[in-house]
Amino acid sequence: MSQPMADAPVTESERLSFSVFAPDDAALLAGLHSDPEGERYLFRDGMVWSEAYATSEIAKWRQTFADKGYSKFKLTRNSDGAFLGRAGFGFEETHGVAELGYTIIRAEWGKGYATEAAARLARWFFEEDLDDRFIAFAVPENTASVAVLRKIGMREIAPLTIKGIVCTSFEMVAAR
């Protein structure tokens, strides 16, 4: 699959655009993952992302998009192009399946962006026929994220242990 043009949306929802991260987005991504409050549920052990680390993650995500047709996407607001975070799919190697995830900048929490992003991505994943199912998980204390996954219609499955932490886990299966 070829890379879309820089900032060209892969998909959109009412308020959001999803595009493949460009290499020059590293500062935005590092900033997103440098807020300790926003990072507390992301299994990074307090790690703050450097631009170099963000650059390496962007390269991996771009390769995942080329290989699998999905990725962790740059999330921007349609009305003004403001960067809101990231949302999309990674490949969860332990379970061999796509995994939905999202991180919204703290200043934009509580505005429904995570729910809108997760719902649009779920529909897009099956519209594009990327696979028959995907999973998502959250630490139980992250009640907002667990609520988003339930709200978009994901079905709770047996807990998964990720990096030694037992997570509330969900799956969504294509309607065939």
Side-chain angles (χ1 to χ4, degrees):
M1 178 170 286
S2 64
Q3 294 288 334
M5 294 181 59
D7 289 328
V10 173
T11 190
E12 294 181 293
S13 65
E14 181 181 339
R15 299 182 296 164
L16 307 172
S17 289
F18 305 80
S19 59
V20 175
F21 274 97
D24 62 359
D25 289 326
L28 287 174
L29 188 59
L32 172 68
H33 288 292
S34 295
D35 177 2
E37 179 67 11
E39 290 293 290
R40 72 183 191 271
Y41 300 125
L42 291 179
F43 312 106
R44 297 278 180 209
D45 300 324
M47 180 183 112
V48 173
W49 287 32
S50 66
E51 281 192 44
Y53 184 79
T55 297
S56 71
E57 289 297 288
I58 288 170
K60 287 186 238 175
W61 297 344
R62 291 174 65 83
Q63 189 61 53
T64 300
F65 187 75
D67 293 345
K68 299 193 176 293
Y70 57 76
S71 181
K72 307 262 175 103
F73 296 118
K74 178 180 175 181
L75 188 63
T76 54
R77 188 171 31 230
N78 289 337
S79 63
D80 61 5
F83 176 70
L84 298 175
R86 69 168 174 85
F89 298 91
F91 185 71
E92 210 292 307
E93 294 190 24
T94 304
H95 299 91
V97 65
E99 176 255 325
L100 173 67
Y102 39 82
T103 302
I104 307 297
I105 60 174
R106 187 167 19 148
E108 302 296 339
W109 288 0
K111 298 178 182 178
Y113 291 131
T115 301
E116 183 176 335
R120 176 63 197 132
L121 286 168
R123 284 190 312 276
W124 173 83
F125 188 86
F126 296 125
E127 289 167 358
E128 294 295 314
D129 199 25
L130 296 170
D131 205 339
D132 291 339
R133 71 184 273 268
F134 64 86
I135 64 169
F137 51 83
V139 296
E141 297 81 13
N142 190 349
T143 56
S145 193
V146 169
V148 165
L149 299 174
R150 288 185 173 131
K151 195 180 295 186
I152 68 164
M154 293 193 78
R155 181 178 69 86
E156 194 164 342
I157 58 174
L160 297 175
T161 301
I162 309 294
K163 296 187 179 183
I165 300 170
V166 177
C167 295
T168 304
S169 303
F170 298 84
E171 76 172 349
M172 187 172 277
V173 178
R176 298 265 182 224

